Amino acid sequence: NRYLFNWAHRGVGLSSLVLAVAAVFLGIRMEAAGLDDSPLYAMIVYCVGVAFVIVFDFYISLEKSDNKKEIFSLAKELNPGDHDKREQSVDKSVFLRRFMLGFLVLLVSCVVMALVLLIAVSKEQENESNHDH
């Protein structure tokens, strides 16, 4: 049951991410937004970064499932007190997921700041051009 929940949760999350990115792309391309192509480049960087995180997450998930098989066979061979190999595998997966979360938080923060800055500069230029006329 947990396996199905995890994949369903991941699917809903990815679907909402795709819809959010599509909405932002449509918003920055609207004529009423008055933006040039600069925000488009920030969103492309964001999409590439998120794609990297998603691919890496799937890789970790597949590696984790392979490790479970390996850990199960190791558990039969090892003494009950010798669980260093099992802990190393779990620690590696947890570290990589935390690293990717940190990367994603940094990426989102930078893209949001860039978009806000580009929108503010665009509005400021629009206000200056309206005052000149």
Side-chain angles (χ1 to χ4, degrees):
N1 287 341
R2 184 70 184 174
Y3 177 78
L4 292 175
F5 171 78
N6 286 344
W7 280 102
H9 187 261
R10 190 172 282 150
V12 169
L14 287 175
S15 300
S16 63
L17 181 66
V18 168
L19 290 173
V21 168
V24 172
F25 268 112
L26 290 172
I28 62 176
R29 299 303 298 164
M30 289 177 58
E31 192 173 317
L35 299 171
D36 58 0
D37 287 340
S38 300
L40 182 66
Y41 301 126
M43 286 303 297
I44 290 171
V45 168
Y46 174 73
C47 288
V48 168
V50 169
F52 172 72
V53 169
I54 291 170
V55 168
F56 198 73
D57 183 52
F58 281 129
Y59 170 74
I60 291 172
S61 295
L62 292 175
E63 186 179 89
K64 187 177 178 183
S65 68
D66 288 344
N67 283 343
K68 279 184 181 178
K69 294 174 189 170
E70 182 181 319
I71 288 170
F72 184 72
S73 66
L74 278 174
K76 290 180 180 178
E77 296 171 11
L78 296 174
N79 296 328
D82 190 15
H83 52 73
D84 290 340
K85 289 186 179 182
R86 286 179 276 183
E87 287 181 1
Q88 287 174 354
S89 174
V90 171
D91 288 345
K92 179 182 174 186
S93 175
V94 169
F95 171 77
L96 290 175
R97 287 188 189 271
R98 285 183 181 165
F99 176 78
M100 294 311 294
L101 176 64
F103 171 76
L104 194 57
V105 167
L106 180 65
L107 176 68
V108 168
S109 300
C110 290
V111 169
V112 166
M113 287 189 297
L115 288 175
V116 168
L117 182 65
L118 289 168
I119 291 169
V121 167
S122 173
K123 294 298 177 189
E124 185 66 31
Q125 289 174 349
E126 184 179 303
N127 288 341
E128 286 178 7
S129 66
N130 286 341
H131 288 297
D132 291 339
H133 293 292

